[in-house]
Amino acid sequence: MMTRIETLMNTIATLSVVALCLLITANVAGRIFFGAGVPDAMVLVRELMVPAILFPLASATAARAHVAIEVVAQFFPPALARWMAVLAALIGLVIVLPLLWAGWREFTDAFGSGALFTGDLGLPKWPGRALFVIALTMFALRLMHVAAIDLAAALRGQDTPRTDPQGN
Amino acid sequence: ETRLIHAEPGPNRGVRAEATEWWIGEAARRSGGELAFDIHWGGALFGANAALTSISNGVADSGLIVGSYLESEFPELYMGDLPLSERDPWVTMHAMNEILSSYPAVQTALADKNLAYLGIYATSPLQIGCRNDALTTVDDVKGMKMRYGGVYGPVFSALGGNMVEMSIYDTFQGMETGLIDCTPTYAYFAVATKLDEMLDSLTPIKLSPASSVATFMNRDVFEDLSPEHRKVLEGLRAEVIDHFAERLSKADADAIKKMTTREKPVVIYDLSAEDDARILEAAQPVITQWKASATAKGFDAEALLAEYKRLLDKWAKIRDTQGYPWERG
Amino acid sequence: MELWIYGIIAFGVMLSLLALRVPISFALGGVAVTAIFLLFAWRTGNFMPERAIRATLSLIFASTYDLVHSYDLSMIPLFIALGHVAHRAGITTEIYETARVWLVRLPGGVAIASVAGCGGFSAISGSSIACASTMGRICTPEMLRLNYDPRLATASVAAGGTLGSLIPPSVLFIIYGIFTETSINQLFLAGILPGLLSMAGYAAAIMIWVRRDPSIAPVPAETIPLREKLVAAARSWPAVVMFAIVVGGIYGGIFTATEAAALTLLFATLVGLGRGRMRLADIVPTMRETAKTTAAIFFIAACAKTFVAFISLTGLSNQMVTAVGAAEFGPWAFLAAVVVIYLVLGMFLDPVGIMVLTLPLMIPMVESYGMDLIWFGVVIVKLLEIGLITPPVGLNVFVLAAVIEDKVQIGRIFAGITRFLAMDLVVLALLIAIPSISLIVPLTMR
Ligand code: NA
Ligand code: NA
């Protein structure tokens, strides 16, 4: 289930990059051939950046793709290394859960106050923040899942299993 | 003693930064060293986009808020950017200062945002700077490649300009390569950023300067201060305007002098009165849109704007009859 | 306790967590969020948790959201995606093929061709790691098949990959430009000659190595007729067009760097579709790798930005700038310190993390010495690139080892790297001593 949602989110992220690409291209073409670009192109690009960048965080976490430094850790005995994996996931939650909380507050503020971007179309500010909340929710869920799996492995003294069964 | 955290999105350079340091020095001096601010320059704590929420939530105790990004959240501050006909920074700042210090509906709105107002700044008068092509009449705007700059973007777009969205740091190179022909700028700012090297001409535009950049304090922090300290800060609001306006006008005059007396001087074009009127006309939609934003925030937009214009007239009259404070005997 | 001491303690905790294999982003972000909360909660001497929570949440949201919610940074996913699409569309292979058919008869020619191929790929991709992984898939197996010494077959590509950030487009220049408020377009142009110089340096390193020990690079017997060479060159036209869009478009004032990123990506996709190498349905899987790489880079940058805000709150940064100012180092001593700091950090940390940690402290000092920020950016990026191939954490080396499925041990790759590193230090010295190598291209634009 979580994997399928993550696959969907990666697809949305990719489509957002495609949309960025097309939007910027249309803006250039408009400027060169018609003397006017796409209205609020900059605002739209910035909003699209949120899913493009943050949606893949959950699956990156499942794939354990967050860069860590191995220099010292390669000398750890296996048992210690397993507990360190638990610690890593917990410290991740120390930043990810407050970020989710902060995003939720900003979303409700922007939604409640009806804040708009300064620009041609007066686009609302809440959608980008809503996308931020979605990205962080999935990121937090996946990180808790990883923490639980690593904790179980550490308690049983077994190797830490993969968390991205379909390798996406 | 608690050292207060003061956040500035920009670097520690230029006339405005100097005015902020003067203000902070005065606050310390007049409070016997008890109002001690540590300035965090260059957006180290948060960028201009996040200044409003950051100060109202207490990330910094005080700091600069740029209203240009906040038309819908902070229309009472954004009002200072409106392209009206008065084009004197000193007059504009004093009018905005009165609005932010005492207009009742604005006081309520600031309290809702958990902010206390401390001081206002403005740019020097607006110029359109061009390389190769020049803006000699409004008809020249048609098809002209211009950098989209804040509130002036829609105005020149409406006059037929081909607006290019680009980072302000790329303006120099954008002109160098011909990506843009012209950019809204200010004489002093152009020289400070070396943009003047690119410019062949300047066309003063008779619209009011942007005056939506203001210093605010987190209201909880302000209310924790002693009454004497609050009085010190309130007393500085108008004084920092006079201090800053004097230096800004001098810097602007020096910049114009430098550009017009250099080896290949910048040519200054004055638009005709009809052209001025056409630009004011093209600026109307910006004002209409602002009224909608202000109304959405619960203001009586017509009344607020009328009061602002009344104050602009009042301070223009003070200038015309008494002169600038630094020119009075 | 002085606040700046608190900053140093938090810094120490963060480094210890890094040593315990906590991911860089988690260590920076987790320590920052905790330390910021405690700092706000105890500021006035009384414990005030509600105010502290509000301030902390506001600060971490702004650091993260404003970083992501950026028009200029949209270049990063676009240029990273470009690398993947160019590979799928076969453009990358052609660049290498062209270099190979022209250089194969030289001693060590295929290794030189690999470096040249990396240079060519760098001109269309913004990331050194993408460069090493893409070219590693193509060039290294070919060299191993020709019985090249494994050290040469791998190190030439790992080192060549670092060209990705000097030759425009370049993710590192984009981030440097944004943090220092300098023109990204000018940075791109400033990187061209230093990139070519580095490339020539690598070619020279290969030639010297092969001359001393010809057995490491057997020259194949095949001769390639001129016709075939010309055909290969003609076939790599898409790469030429893409480089022209990026450099010509910026240089000629037709569009900005962000726009160039979008246009080249669209062009590479159309070439791939036109040649039948890709179908529309392939776009998503092709770019899925992009998504993960970009997300991880941005999350590190966001956490580092939060950490920097904390360091600023403690006043530690001001203390350091003041201390360096008071010590009255000459500019050369200052530059020597910069080189040492970046080489040491580069041994362990990734380039983006190093930049976000150090630039806010470093730039005020650079300005106080009156140094050119564009030139300094080139020096910094060169130093960061060297960090990608220095042990123990050499990201390019790791990526290369991964894409060739560990056919060559990491220790062997590092053994080969030493020769390229020596050459890099020579190039670095030249870049520092002669700023016009970097500045001449941006200056000729007038
Ligand atoms: Na590149
Ligand atoms: Na390294």
Side-chain angles (χ1 to χ4, degrees):
Chain A
M1 176 63 186
M2 217 188 284
T3 313
R4 281 173 58 187
I5 295 175
E6 283 164 4
T7 308
L8 175 68
M9 289 178 75
N10 285 353
T11 305
I12 296 173
T14 304
L15 293 178
S16 304
V17 176
V18 172
L20 281 178
C21 174
L22 295 177
L23 185 62
I24 296 171
T25 308
N27 195 37
V28 179
R31 188 175 73 228
I32 293 175
F33 299 115
F34 307 106
V38 177
D40 276 344
M42 244 170 175
V43 173
L44 290 167
V45 166
R46 287 158 65 204
E47 291 286 283
L48 281 168
M49 278 289 280
V50 178
I53 301 300
L54 298 179
F55 272 25
L57 276 173
S59 74
T61 307
R64 299 181 186 274
H66 297 285
V67 185
I69 293 170
E70 310 277 343
V71 203
V72 186
Q74 59 190 331
F75 302 109
F76 288 172
L80 181 62
R82 284 192 283 269
W83 283 107
M84 286 306 125
V86 179
L87 175 75
L90 292 178
I91 289 178
L93 286 170
V94 173
I95 176 69
V96 174
L97 289 176
L99 263 181
L100 173 58
W101 184 8
W104 173 254
R105 282 168 46 113
E106 296 278 343
F107 162 70
T108 49
D109 279 0
F111 192 79
S113 71
L116 307 174
F117 286 106
T118 305
D120 308 322
L121 306 176
L123 299 168
K125 285 189 175 175
W126 64 262
R129 284 151 169 87
L131 294 166
F132 182 90
V133 170
I134 295 171
L136 267 291
T137 305
M138 288 312 296
F139 185 11
L141 284 176
R142 180 52 94 175
L143 197 53
M144 286 191 256
H145 177 236
V146 167
I149 285 184
D150 287 358
L151 180 64
L155 287 172
R156 277 191 243 113
Q158 291 169 344
D159 271 351
T160 308
R162 290 176 65 104
T163 40
D164 57 335
Q166 294 171 16
N168 73 78
Chain B
E1 161 222 30
T2 306
R3 297 193 68 86
L4 297 159
I5 302 169
H6 180 89
E8 290 276 324
N12 182 10
R13 271 195 301 268
V15 183
R16 213 200 48 70
E18 187 274 328
T20 300
E21 287 188 320
W22 176 83
W23 169 79
I24 277 172
E26 283 301 300
R29 200 175 59 78
R30 296 177 192 193
S31 63
E34 288 190 47
L35 284 172
F37 291 86
D38 285 327
I39 314 182
H40 296 257
W41 296 102
L45 287 183
F46 45 79
N49 281 323
L52 169 57
T53 48
S54 299
I55 295 169
S56 87
N57 285 318
V59 174
D61 300 312
S62 61
L64 198 73
I65 297 182
V66 182
S68 314
Y69 303 109
L70 299 167
E71 179 172 9
S72 82
E73 293 103 313
F74 212 155
E76 64 274 36
L77 182 59
Y78 187 87
M79 184 170 71
D81 268 5
L82 291 184
L84 305 173
S85 58
E86 175 58 51
R87 55 189 302 264
D88 179 319
W90 183 79
V91 169
T92 313
M93 283 190 278
H94 272 295
M96 279 301 287
N97 180 51
E98 284 204 37
I99 293 281
L100 291 166
S101 305
S102 54
Y103 191 80
V106 168
Q107 301 314 301
T108 319
L110 288 179
D112 287 347
K113 285 191 260 299
N114 198 30
L115 294 178
Y117 160 72
L118 299 184
I120 183 90
Y121 296 102
T123 63
S124 52
L126 174 68
Q127 312 266 353
I128 299 297
C130 297
R131 176 177 162 85
N132 301 325
D133 285 350
L135 182 65
T136 57
T137 77
V138 164
D139 291 323
D140 293 336
V141 176
K142 201 157 218 90
M144 183 176 259
K145 284 181 284 175
M146 286 181 89
R147 191 177 74 78
Y148 189 103
V151 74
Y152 309 114
V155 177
F156 288 96
S157 180
L159 291 168
N162 186 357
M163 308 312 283
V164 182
E165 304 218 29
M166 62 196 302
S167 138
I168 196 156
Y169 313 112
D170 283 329
T171 312
F172 184 95
Q173 215 226 340
M175 292 210 121
E176 201 165 43
T177 59
L179 182 61
I180 50 172
D181 308 317
C182 298
T183 179
T185 188
Y186 312 97
Y188 152 71
F189 180 79
V191 168
T193 57
K194 297 204 174 71
L195 182 67
D196 63 310
E197 293 171 18
M198 280 298 118
L199 298 180
D200 295 327
S201 73
L202 279 178
T203 308
I205 301 294
K206 296 178 192 67
L207 293 177
S208 56
S211 183
S212 73
V213 172
T215 309
F216 292 91
M217 184 174 263
N218 178 288
R219 202 176 185 90
D220 303 331
V221 175
F222 187 75
E223 283 169 358
D224 286 349
L225 298 177
S226 69
E228 299 78 53
H229 289 167
R230 270 182 266 162
K231 197 158 242 143
V232 166
L233 292 176
E234 282 168 353
L236 277 166
R237 287 167 174 169
E239 279 185 57
V240 73
I241 295 177
D242 293 347
H243 177 95
F244 171 65
E246 178 182 0
R247 278 149 190 83
L248 182 69
S249 78
K250 182 173 180 310
D252 220 44
D254 289 349
I256 298 263
K257 187 162 169 226
K258 175 174 183 258
M259 287 190 275
T260 49
T261 56
R262 68 183 193 196
E263 199 176 318
K264 188 169 169 278
V266 164
V267 185
I268 298 196
Y269 292 100
D270 272 310
L271 295 178
S272 67
E274 298 89 81
D275 278 350
D276 294 343
R278 282 174 68 190
I279 292 177
L280 260 183
E281 174 80 32
Q284 283 315 302
V286 175
I287 293 165
T288 312
Q289 192 184 324
W290 171 81
K291 283 181 188 162
S293 310
T295 309
K297 273 281 160 213
F299 287 105
D300 180 345
E302 296 290 349
L304 178 56
L305 186 61
E307 173 65 4
Y308 178 45
K309 285 181 172 166
R310 187 188 72 77
L311 291 166
L312 285 171
D313 291 342
K314 170 184 149 186
W315 284 94
K317 199 164 169 206
I318 296 177
R319 173 199 59 196
D320 295 341
T321 53
Q322 304 173 22
Y324 294 116
W326 59 90
E327 288 169 348
R328 295 171 199 160
Chain C
M1 179 175 67
E2 293 279 350
L3 266 183
W4 60 271
I5 299 177
Y6 181 52
I8 290 179
I9 294 172
F11 211 94
V13 173
M14 191 272 294
L15 289 178
S16 319
L17 290 176
L18 286 184
L20 295 175
R21 205 164 54 190
V22 174
I24 299 171
S25 48
F26 295 178
L28 286 166
V31 171
V33 91
T34 316
I36 289 169
F37 171 77
L38 292 174
L39 187 147
F40 280 135
W42 287 106
R43 276 194 69 209
T44 56
N46 307 317
F47 187 61
M48 297 198 305
E50 286 99 57
R51 272 198 203 181
I53 287 173
R54 255 195 301 151
T56 308
L57 293 182
S58 184
L59 180 55
I60 61 175
F61 178 80
S63 300
T64 309
Y65 195 76
D66 285 359
L67 184 80
V68 172
H69 200 252
S70 151
Y71 177 78
D72 288 331
L73 285 181
S74 67
M75 266 186 274
I76 293 180
L78 291 171
F79 276 132
I80 294 179
L82 180 62
H84 290 285
V85 172
H87 178 57
R88 185 65 79 97
I91 298 171
T92 322
T93 318
E94 281 153 5
I95 298 172
Y96 166 69
E97 263 307 298
T98 308
R100 193 190 66 90
V101 295
W102 284 87
L103 299 171
V104 66
R105 298 284 297 163
L106 281 179
V110 183
I112 297 173
S114 303
V115 168
C118 286
F121 182 75
S122 303
I124 57 172
S125 163
S127 149
S128 292
I129 294 184
C131 194
S133 71
T134 313
M135 296 313 283
R137 245 170 244 148
I138 303 169
C139 310
T140 305
E142 170 86 358
M143 283 186 271
L144 292 175
R145 190 179 64 78
L146 293 169
N147 283 323
Y148 270 48
D149 186 297
R151 287 173 303 166
L152 176 60
T154 51
S156 56
V157 180
T162 68
L163 297 170
S165 302
L166 265 184
I167 297 178
S170 157
V171 170
L172 297 186
F173 276 139
I174 297 169
I175 295 175
Y176 178 87
I178 286 173
F179 268 79
T180 59
E181 304 187 337
T182 43
S183 160
I184 292 164
N185 292 356
Q186 287 203 22
L187 287 166
F188 275 14
L189 297 174
I192 296 177
L193 286 184
L196 293 176
L197 182 66
S198 303
M199 190 163 95
Y202 294 149
I206 294 168
M207 284 196 269
I208 295 168
W209 190 0
V210 174
R211 174 155 303 171
R212 284 215 189 135
D213 183 1
S215 71
I216 62 166
V219 177
E222 62 174 321
T223 48
I224 293 164
L226 181 65
R227 221 188 91 77
E228 201 175 309
K229 290 182 184 175
L230 292 174
V231 168
R235 208 181 289 144
S236 53
W237 67 271
V240 177
V241 171
M242 286 158 74
F243 189 61
I245 294 176
V246 175
V247 174
I250 295 171
Y251 199 93
I254 308 168
F255 30 74
T256 64
T258 313
E259 293 165 353
L263 291 172
T264 39
L265 176 57
L266 187 66
F267 176 79
T269 311
L270 292 178
V271 168
L273 294 172
R275 287 174 165 176
R277 301 267 181 103
M278 287 168 65
R279 289 163 304 136
L280 266 180
D282 287 341
I283 290 178
V284 171
T286 303
M287 285 171 47
R288 199 162 275 162
E289 267 317 296
T290 311
K292 260 184 246 173
T293 323
T294 334
I297 291 179
F298 268 82
F299 195 58
I300 292 176
C303 292
K305 210 167 158 232
T306 315
F307 194 82
V308 165
F310 162 70
I311 293 293
S312 180
L313 277 173
T314 63
L316 181 60
S317 21
N318 285 340
Q319 290 274 344
M320 281 172 60
V321 175
T322 317
V324 171
E328 292 182 7
F329 287 131
W332 290 104
F334 170 72
L335 281 172
V338 169
V339 169
V340 171
I341 291 170
Y342 273 70
L343 287 180
V344 171
L345 291 177
M347 291 169 71
F348 305 101
L349 293 179
D350 87 307
V352 176
I354 298 175
M355 271 205 286
V356 278
L357 274 179
T358 54
L359 286 183
L361 308 180
M362 198 87 76
I363 293 307
M365 298 187 219
V366 176
E367 286 181 323
S368 71
Y369 284 107
M371 293 172 181
D372 186 287
L373 279 177
I374 301 283
W375 163 77
F376 190 74
V378 172
V379 172
I380 291 297
V381 169
K382 182 68 199 171
L383 282 165
L384 293 172
E385 301 223 342
I386 292 175
L388 289 175
I389 52 173
T390 50
V393 182
L395 289 178
N396 265 20
V397 171
F398 294 173
V399 165
L400 186 72
V403 299
I404 60 170
E405 287 154 355
D406 295 314
K407 285 196 191 87
V408 181
Q409 280 185 339
I410 285 180
R412 297 273 286 161
I413 306 180
F414 277 126
I417 285 287
T418 47
R419 288 159 177 88
F420 295 94
L421 266 180
M423 191 55 81
D424 265 341
L425 294 178
V426 173
V427 170
L428 176 69
L430 286 174
L431 293 181
I432 292 176
I434 315 172
S436 38
I437 300 174
S438 310
L439 296 178
I440 193 130
V441 177
L443 284 178
T444 55
M445 298 207 30
R446 308 257 158 121

